[in-house]
Amino acid sequence: RCGLAAGRSYSGGGAYPSVSLACPLPGVPKAVFAAAEGRERFETRVTVLENGLRVASQNKFGQFCTVGILVNSGSRHEAKYLSGISHFLEKLAFSSTAQFGSKDEILLTLEKHGGICDCQASRDTIMYAVSADARGLDTVVNLLADVALQPRLSDEEIEMTRTAIRFELEDLNMRPDPEPLLTEMIHAAAFRDNTVGLNRFCPVENTDKIDRDVLHSYLRSYYTPDRMVLAGVGIEHEQLVECARKYLLGVEPVWGTGQSRGVDRSVAQYTGGIVKVEKDMSDVSLGPTPIPELTHIMIGLESCSFLEDDFIPFAVLNMMMGGGGSFSAGGPGKGMFTRLYLNVLNRHHWMYNATSYHHSYEDTGLLCIHASADPKQVREMVEIITREFILMAGAVGEVELERAKTQLKSMLMMNLESRPVIFEDVGRQVLATNTRKLPHELCALIGQVKPTDIKRVVTKMLHKKPAVAALGDLTDLPSYEHIQAALSSKDGRLPRLYRLFR
């Protein structure tokens, strides 16, 4: 009876037959269900191979996996090299290799397993990642090993990369959203000419200087097994280790294993300072609804590294400050109760943006506020932002603290619903610490943050010189000395701060 009923075709709208739910439908693959008793293992497993390469994985129920190679290499390591090498490597990723003749061949190989690929370079890490069907793991790891260790770096590919980078730099300066540019400027001001203060984007003058020999020299120093992690989410650990041994153990990279120029192990030196770019912003966004001419200011202070205990209180503080654009649909779930909304955007209608950011690295961090307003309001805008920094050291309400902690936990858990985000979290933590703090451990640490913790980290932060980035019409921008004097006030007497800017 089941077979007869299952074989019929129905056009919809008619009566449904009485088909037993216990009978499988013909031609449909057998379903795989997560067993209730076999609770998914949440721990992250790490294995170190003989050559120093770390293999990290976390199992996750589902058909697809995300696998990638993370390298402890980024723009902060370019002190002894031409600036912009990491930017070049990011653009050259997943091009032709020893096994694959072109990027098209790589993409076609991945398509057979429903896969996509991506490469991202940051200040301290380069990440090659692939999301694909877990049954194609062997092919994926083989491809990743080839992309990371056997790239051809042909003259044609390098020339195309030069063109792409020039276009990206031009686009960066024309983009209505100045946040990427301001982020570069605030890092340059905070860590002048060292480590994370080095430019993440390739300077225009270096695009013609970077060639295969320069890239090989850099790769020889930094693309070594002890500086790499093969991370995977959604696969069995033993299977990933087996693939790593097969494709990443005993493989000689295309640049050889000759003498390197040495690895830069400098620790970030916070300097503070100001970086200003006078720019006409009147024609940034032309069209039927142009963005008004604005001046953008970002003020930052040194926080801490993500390896320190104070990292969690700083993360809560950043969430408590929150902020965003002056026009934002939505309610409290979008952060409308954060300080920068309540104290700044809701009270000063002429401010277009006030947003808090927290950048954290292995040896330092930077908490900053980005604000935008009409050029005639710059002086008052800087006054308001410096006041918010000083008010951080004041009383912290129990309700706002609990709200910030709840928002931070919610954001953490919601982000970790995504396999690529879990992959990046696993890879970065293992790369930095050889282990991984699990989400429930982080939530417990967030829950333990008290008002005294917030006050302690802010007091420590306010003792540092500020870092300032300014972009646009800066005619009315207060001097750096005035901003520094305002932020160095220990008693927070606001009337005196106001007079500094008059």
Side-chain angles (χ1 to χ4, degrees), residues 123 179 182-192 196-197 268-273 298-306 308 311 314-315 317-318 355-370 389 392 461 464-469:
R123 288 188 150 74
E179 196 269 327
L182 281 166
T183 300
E184 291 305 305
M185 292 166 63
I186 196 75
H187 278 82
F191 306 93
R192 191 170 293 276
V196 294
Q269 302 294 319
Y270 181 83
T271 59
M298 195 176 274
I299 300 176
L301 292 164
E302 187 181 23
S303 57
C304 71
S305 98
F306 58 74
E308 297 180 46
F311 172 69
F314 269 116
L317 172 65
N318 180 57
T355 312
S356 175
Y357 296 96
H358 187 217
H359 306 278
S360 198
Y361 306 96
E362 284 189 40
D363 49 2
T364 188
L366 190 64
L367 182 78
C368 44
I369 296 177
H370 169 206
F389 269 109
M392 290 180 193
M461 183 174 65
K464 304 290 178 69
K465 291 172 61 178
V468 181

Side-chain angles (χ1 to χ4, degrees), residues 175-242:
R175 196 178 299 177
D177 176 21
E179 196 269 327
L181 202 56
L182 281 166
T183 300
E184 291 305 305
M185 292 166 63
I186 196 75
H187 278 82
F191 306 93
R192 191 170 293 276
D193 298 327
N194 76 92
T195 57
V196 294
L198 299 177
N199 201 329
R200 191 168 67 86
F201 298 104
C202 179
V204 178
E205 62 272 15
N206 285 357
T207 53
D208 288 324
K209 300 176 184 176
I210 295 176
D211 55 20
R212 189 190 296 109
D213 291 338
V214 171
L215 294 172
H216 277 185
S217 175
Y218 179 87
L219 291 165
R220 193 176 297 117
S221 295
Y222 289 99
Y223 275 48
T224 55
D226 58 301
R227 299 179 66 85
M228 292 183 177
V229 169
L230 174 67
V233 175
I235 35 89
E236 293 290 342
H237 185 71
E238 291 76 14
Q239 192 181 357
L240 187 62
V241 171
E242 182 184 342

Side-chain angles (χ1 to χ4, degrees), residues 71-75 77 86 122-126 218 222-223 227:
V71 189
N72 186 12
S73 158
S75 58
H77 300 107
S86 297
S122 62
R123 288 188 150 74
D124 50 4
T125 311
I126 290 183
Y218 179 87
Y222 289 99
Y223 275 48
R227 299 179 66 85

Side-chain angles (χ1 to χ4, degrees), residues 75 172 370 455 457 477:
S75 58
L172 194 67
H370 169 206
K455 189 166 184 176
V457 297
L477 178 71

